[in-house]
Amino acid sequence: MHYGFDGKVALVTGAGGGIGRATALGFAASGAAVVVSDVNIEGGEATVQQIEAAGGRAIFASCNVAKRSEVKALVARTVEAFGRLDFAHNNAGINNLGADEYEDEAWDRSLGINLSGVMYCMREEAEVMLTQGKGAIVNTASINGLVGNGQQPAYTATKHGVIGLTRHGALRWARQGIRVNAVCPGVIETPMTAPLVADPRMRDVISGMTPMGRMGQAEEIAAAVLWLCSDQASFVTGHPLVIDGGATAT
């Protein structure tokens, strides 16, 4: 769907592939200028190339969202390049598949990127949007932000935290024109989950865990992000939108 984002500016973190890339492409296809951000320089530049090849406008800006100074510079770069910031998809995150998240290094890294990174981004993005009197922020949480996961304490805790931050931001800025929502994906086919499904037998197992019998696609999450940013969702804020093929309905 084309949302008519002409003249608008979108910032997407973690846009070097997967959900972030799909969202960046979606914003551009609807007319927005896009700031593509990632620590993966090659992936981020490839996303920009795809946008430009389709006739859109985009720039790449490297950023480690766990570092406050880099987030501040990222938002400043966005305003410098395009003069404003209308939409932000705070999507950068990690999933320590196979690691022991009770280990300090894994725990600290998860909190830094998945939780503090979202807060740093929200804080800087809101500063710009407040001066404009309008804006929409969407954070990537997870169904593990709504239900438990016995194997991943850090991932589960940080994604619960993202939903908490989302609700906080929605309340804080509700009367100042800024809407803050979250998407909660189930198992989505992305580079992050690729190691899980490299074995066709494991793919069948994981697909079978979802009532719809398949993994989700990045474009299905991107479609939800774009809708949440659009005027069609003008009365939606503080909402964790579940996109999981029915996994949490059981």
Side-chain angles (χ1 to χ4, degrees), residues 55-218:
R57 292 192 301 155
I59 62 169
F60 173 71
S62 177
C63 178
N64 178 350
V65 297
K67 297 184 177 180
R68 285 169 284 191
S69 60
E70 292 194 20
V71 172
K72 192 174 188 68
L74 171 63
V75 175
R77 174 75 175 110
T78 300
V79 176
E80 176 188 8
F82 296 117
R84 58 186 298 115
L85 175 60
D86 300 282
F87 314 123
H89 181 199
N90 299 321
N91 173 71
I94 59 170
N95 189 332
N96 297 297
L97 294 172
D100 181 358
E101 290 190 335
Y102 277 117
E103 293 292 336
D104 290 348
E105 183 178 356
W107 176 265
D108 291 344
R109 186 165 179 259
S110 292
L111 262 64
I113 297 172
N114 290 358
L115 188 55
S116 294
V118 171
M119 189 278 285
Y120 299 152
C121 287
M122 283 176 55
R123 183 175 64 188
E124 298 300 326
E125 293 153 359
E127 283 295 312
V128 177
M129 293 175 179
L130 286 168
T131 66
Q132 300 169 176
K134 189 175 184 181
I137 297 172
V138 179
N139 301 319
T140 297
S142 166
I143 58 172
N144 287 139
L146 295 166
V147 299
N149 179 329
Q151 304 302 316
Q152 294 183 288
Y155 187 75
T156 303
T158 57
K159 292 305 184 178
H160 272 73
V162 168
I163 292 175
L165 277 174
T166 298
R167 288 171 170 153
H168 156 77
L171 295 173
R172 183 182 181 97
W173 299 308
R175 299 200 178 190
Q176 295 166 287
I178 302 174
R179 294 184 299 105
V180 187
N181 292 288
V183 287
C184 299
V187 181
I188 309 300
E189 194 162 9
T190 68
M192 183 182 289
T193 58
L196 285 175
V197 296
D199 184 333
R201 292 170 298 179
M202 184 57 68
R203 174 184 289 272
D204 290 342
V205 169
I206 292 174
S207 296
M209 293 167 60
T210 301
M212 290 183 69
R214 66 173 179 86
M215 298 175 69
Q217 299 300 308

